[in-house]
Amino acid sequence: MTNPRFSAVQAIAQHTFEHYSRPKAAISDYFAELVFNDETLEKWLSPPHAKQMLRCIHEGEKMDADLADAVATGMRNWAMSHGATHFTHWFHPLRGTTAEKHDTFFELKGNTPLETFRGSALVQQEPDASSFPSGGIRSTFEARGYTAWDPTSPAFIYETALAKTLCIPTVFVAYTGQALDHKAPLLKAIEAIDKAATRVCQLFDRQVNSVKPSLGIEQEYFLVDRNLYLARPDLVMCGRTVFGHAPARGQQLSDHYFGSIPRRVTNFMVEFETEAHRLGIPVRTRHNEVAPGQFEVAPQFEEANLAIDHNMLLMDIMERLAEKHHFKVLFHEKPFKGINGSGKHNNWSLITDQGKNLLSPSSKPKENLQFLTFLVCTIQAVHRHADLLRASIASASNDLRLGAHEAPPAIVSVFLGRELTRFLSELEKNDQLKVQKGDNVYLKLGISKLPEILLDNTDRNRTSPFAFTGNKFEFRAVGSLGICSDPMTTLNAAVAEVLNDFAEAAEKQLELGLKREEVVLKLLRSMLKSSKSILFEGDNYAEAWKKEAEKRGLPNTPTTPEALDALLSKKAKQLFKNLGIFSAEELEARTLILLEEYILKIQIEARIGGDLAQNHIIPTAIKYQHLLVQHQAGLQQLGLADQGHLDYIKEMSLHIHQVQLMVQHMTEARKSANAIEDTREKAKAYCNEVRPFIDKIRYHVDKLELMIDDADWPLPKYRELLFLR
Ligand code: ADP
Ligand code: MG
C-alpha cells in the first residue's frame, strides 16, 4: 500500500477541488430567506395572529393553543414552499454540539396521505432523553425530559444535499424543571441582566424599559486537507495532533496574518458564507489568522441568545461544506503544538431598548456617568467572579491553549487601555475633590472628555483575556470549540449581581435625598478600590504576571479539574440561586458532567496516543532501525563502520524503548485512574497522572520523526498539514 501521506499530497498538487460560484444577486436579496422571521411571519399568518405572535416574541406575552396551531400551520406552509419535508426541535444538550430528531409533516389519516403540523408539536416535544447527560438529575430509567420552543430565536430551514428540515430552536429541560441544556440557563441569565440593568438605567434615564446583552462572536479555525486529515487518526479521534515535530517554518515569519487568502480556501469561505446569509447569520468578516492554515470568520453582533444559536449553526455549516471542498475544519483550541491556538472572542455589551450601547461613552456628558457605572460594575463583576469565568471556559482542549503560545492565560484580568486606566485611577483618588454648588462635576472630573480619551486610546492588548475595546468588552479566553452559552450565562449573571447591588445601594442613598452624581461617584470609587486588583495592562504572557497575580490574590487554575471547583463554592451557589439560574443541585450536576467529559476526552487522547505509538510509530521505527543494523553490519564487513553509525542506532533504540516504556506507564496510570470512584478525584488523576505521559511519549516520537526515512513515516507531517492546501 502506498503511504497515504503521499497520495494525499499528490491529490492536493493536482488541485482536484470544488469550485463554487456564489449567486449573482446581492447578499441583501437572499439574506434570511430560510428564516421564519418577523417579516416571513407577517406573510404567512393572518394579521391578527401575526400581531399576537410578534407580541409573544418581543414582549414576552404568553402563547395560547389557538395561536400555536395557527403559527404551526403558517410555518409548515412556508417550510413546504421551500421543499421541506421534516421538522425538528433543535437544541443544545449538555454534551456535544446540537441535537435534532427529524419527524416528517407527512401522515396517513385513514387512507388519506397529508401533511400536518400541530401547535402542540411546535411548542413541545419529548425526545427520548435517556442518552443525554444529566449529571444524575434524571436517572435513565425515568428518562423524562422535554424540549420547549424558544420563540426569541426564529425557526429556520436547514438544507443538506439530502434533506430539507424545518428547525425549531428549543430549550431542553427535565420534567422537574431543571435545565438539561445550555440555552435554558442562558435565557435566565439574559432575563436577570435585563432586569438588573434596566433598574440601574432607571437611575439615569426613565425612558429605558429593557436592556439586552449583545454579542459578536469571532470564530477562529484551522483548515486541513481532508485526505491528510484522514491519515491522522489522532485528528480524527480527538481533533488535535498528539504527535508531530515542529516544521522548519512555523509562524515565525508572521506572513499569514491578513495575507491573501488561498483560492481553494476562498471558495470554501464564499460558499459557507452564502449558506450562512441565507440562514440569516450576518457574517461580515473573513481573514487569515496568525498561524499557517488558520482563519477567522466574524458576524455582526446580535442579541446574545441569537448570536449563540447562529454560532452553533455556522460551525455546523462550516463542517458540512468543508467536506465538499475536501477540507476538514478544526475547531479544536490547540490542534498543533507550538502553533497558535484558536479562540472564540466574545464581544459583549449591553444595549437598551432605546438603542443605546451602555458601554459606549457619550458625547452628552451626563450620559457618561451611566457609561462609567456599567464599566465599573463589569470590572467588579469580573473581579468578584474571575474564578467562575475561568470555570465557564474550562475544557480539556482549552487547557492546552490557555497560557500557551499567544493565548490568554488561565488568570482572568481586565484590560482597559492606558488612558482609561489613568482616568479611573484619578477618579478613584479624587474623593477629596469637593463638588460645590454650581460646579460642573462632569467638567471638573474630566468625565465630559471620555469620548476623546477613548478615541485616542488605541493601544489594544492582544494578550488580555478580557479587554475593553472602546464600546464593548472582549472575552478572549473563550475557546474555539465550545458553545458560548456557559461563558455568557456566567458573565451576564455576574454583572447582573453587581448591578443589583449597585442599584440597591444607590436607591437607598437617593431616598435620603443625596445628589445623584455624588451618590454614583461615591459608589464607583468604592467599587474601584475593592476591585482594581483585577486591572492589568501589561503582558499577560509574561512569567512575571503569574507572580504578580498571585500577590494580588487572583485565582490561577491552569487545569479544568481545579478550575471547576469554583462552581461548587458557596459564592457560586449563591450567585446562580439568587438570580434563579441554577439550584445548588443543578450546579453540582453540571460540574459532574463537565468532569466526566474531561475524563473522557483525556481517556480518548491517551488511547489514541498509545495506539499510534504502539501500532504506527514503533513498527516503523523498528523497520528502519533494522535497516540501519544491516547497513552497519555491511559496513563492518568492509571495515568502514564507525562510532557515529553505532551512536545513531543506539539513539534510535533509546527513543523506541522510551516510547514503549511510557505507553506502558500511561496504561497503568489510566488503570489506576479508572479505579477511582470519586469523579473529581478521577478527573484530577487523569489530569496529573495520565495526561503528562502523552507529552512524554510525544517527545520521543517527535525525535524519531526526525531520524526515520521520510518515505516510511506514516503520519502526515506538520509541514504538510499546515502548508498544503
Ligand atoms: P476586531 O476586534 O477584530 O477589531 P471589531 O471591533 O470590528 O473586530 O468587532 C469584532 C466583533 O465585535 C464583531 O462581531 C462586531 O460586530 C462585534 N461588536 C461590535 N460592537 C459590538 C457591541 N456593541 N456589542 C457586541 N459586539 C460588538
Ligand atoms: Mg477582536
Side-chain angles (χ1 to χ4, degrees), residues 80-224:
M80 284 173 58
S81 78
H82 280 277
T85 52
H86 287 63
F87 70 94
T88 180
H89 277 196
W90 185 81
F91 58 101
H92 312 310
L94 286 176
R95 195 177 295 141
T97 46
T98 54
E100 40 196 274
K101 173 178 151 257
H102 300 187
D103 283 308
T104 176
F105 296 129
F106 164 82
E107 66 174 288
L108 273 179
K109 204 160 198 169
N111 284 329
T112 319
L114 48 81
E115 266 83 16
T116 59
F117 185 39
R118 290 183 192 83
S120 51
L122 163 66
V123 173
Q124 190 172 317
Q125 292 268 290
E126 230 178 288
D128 172 22
S130 54
S131 43
F132 293 113
S134 73
I137 279 182
R138 176 184 35 65
S139 44
T140 32
F141 58 85
E142 196 221 347
R144 309 237 312 152
Y146 67 94
T147 52
W149 184 24
D150 162 25
T152 59
S153 180
F156 56 91
I157 295 170
Y158 199 52
E159 294 181 342
T160 64
L162 301 171
K164 289 185 185 180
T165 307
L166 171 68
C167 298
I168 298 146
T170 59
V171 294
F172 182 36
V173 286
Y175 262 96
T176 39
Q178 292 107 330
L180 297 172
D181 71 348
H182 292 285
K183 192 196 259 277
L186 175 76
L187 292 177
K188 289 179 185 161
I190 290 175
E191 200 181 312
I193 199 158
D194 181 358
K195 271 198 205 133
T198 306
R199 185 173 164 197
V200 170
C201 280
Q202 293 258 331
L203 299 170
F204 298 92
D205 177 1
R206 293 251 158 228
Q207 305 265 317
V208 175
N209 294 310
S210 78
V211 175
K212 293 264 180 299
S214 59
L215 177 61
I217 301 174
E218 300 167 63
Q219 175 75 53
E220 293 177 330
Y221 60 97
F222 279 86
L223 281 179
V224 173

Side-chain angles (χ1 to χ4, degrees), residues 311-543:
N311 176 251
M312 298 308 288
L313 190 54
L314 181 64
M315 287 168 79
D316 208 72
I317 298 170
M318 288 167 72
E319 291 239 34
R320 183 166 57 80
L321 289 174
E323 205 173 315
K324 186 169 162 198
H325 291 265
H326 306 281
F327 278 131
K328 174 67 191 178
V329 45
L330 303 178
F331 288 119
H332 192 287
E333 282 86 354
K334 195 74 180 172
F336 304 103
K337 192 182 170 191
I339 302 281
N340 273 11
S342 301
K344 181 138 64 185
H345 298 179
N346 278 212
N347 294 271
W348 169 90
S349 184
L350 293 169
I351 298 181
T352 69
D353 58 338
Q354 312 288 308
K356 176 156 179 42
N357 177 353
L358 293 168
L359 286 173
S360 180
S362 171
S363 52
K364 294 183 204 143
K366 281 204 168 173
E367 288 184 351
N368 282 331
L369 204 54
Q370 178 174 296
F371 157 71
L372 283 175
T373 301
F374 280 91
L375 183 82
V376 174
C377 283
T378 307
I379 294 170
Q380 176 150 79
V382 177
H383 178 257
R384 196 185 286 175
H385 295 299
D387 57 341
L388 287 178
L389 287 165
R390 162 66 183 107
S392 76
I393 52 158
S395 69
S397 49
N398 209 18
D399 280 0
L400 295 170
R401 163 180 171 256
L402 295 179
H405 220 285
E406 294 245 329
I411 308 164
V412 175
S413 66
V414 177
F415 169 84
L416 294 175
R418 201 176 333 126
E419 295 303 322
L420 192 54
T421 305
R422 193 179 301 159
F423 174 85
L424 288 182
S425 91
E426 267 165 34
L427 185 76
E428 184 210 319
K429 285 185 210 123
N430 256 338
D431 53 356
Q432 301 311 330
L433 196 88
K434 283 275 172 297
V435 182
Q436 313 280 345
K437 221 178 172 158
D439 267 357
N440 184 333
V441 52
Y442 300 100
L443 263 179
K444 204 156 182 175
L445 293 175
I447 293 176
S448 34
K449 285 220 197 78
L450 271 173
E452 293 145 62
I453 286 178
L454 285 174
L455 209 61
D456 295 341
N457 180 29
T458 46
D459 54 333
R460 290 214 184 172
N461 185 335
R462 288 182 55 91
T463 69
S464 174
F466 198 91
F468 184 69
T469 53
N471 60 359
K472 60 190 186 286
F473 276 98
E474 190 169 329
F475 191 7
R476 297 203 183 102
V478 182
S480 51
L481 182 63
I483 175 164
C484 299
S485 310
D486 289 0
M488 281 300 114
T489 300
T490 308
L491 177 62
N492 286 303
V495 177
E497 185 188 63
V498 174
L499 287 171
N500 277 333
D501 291 354
F502 177 90
E504 198 165 309
E507 283 161 8
K508 252 191 213 143
Q509 294 183 36
L510 288 173
E511 272 166 26
L512 299 176
L514 294 173
K515 210 167 164 288
R516 187 181 64 176
E517 280 81 2
E518 241 168 85
V519 167
V520 171
L521 284 170
K522 198 169 153 224
L523 281 172
L524 294 187
R525 280 187 191 114
S526 97
M527 290 165 86
L528 276 171
K529 255 193 198 89
S530 64
S531 54
K532 65 182 171 190
S533 65
I534 199 75
L535 301 178
F536 182 59
E537 297 292 298
D539 179 0
N540 283 259
Y541 302 161
E543 234 4 77

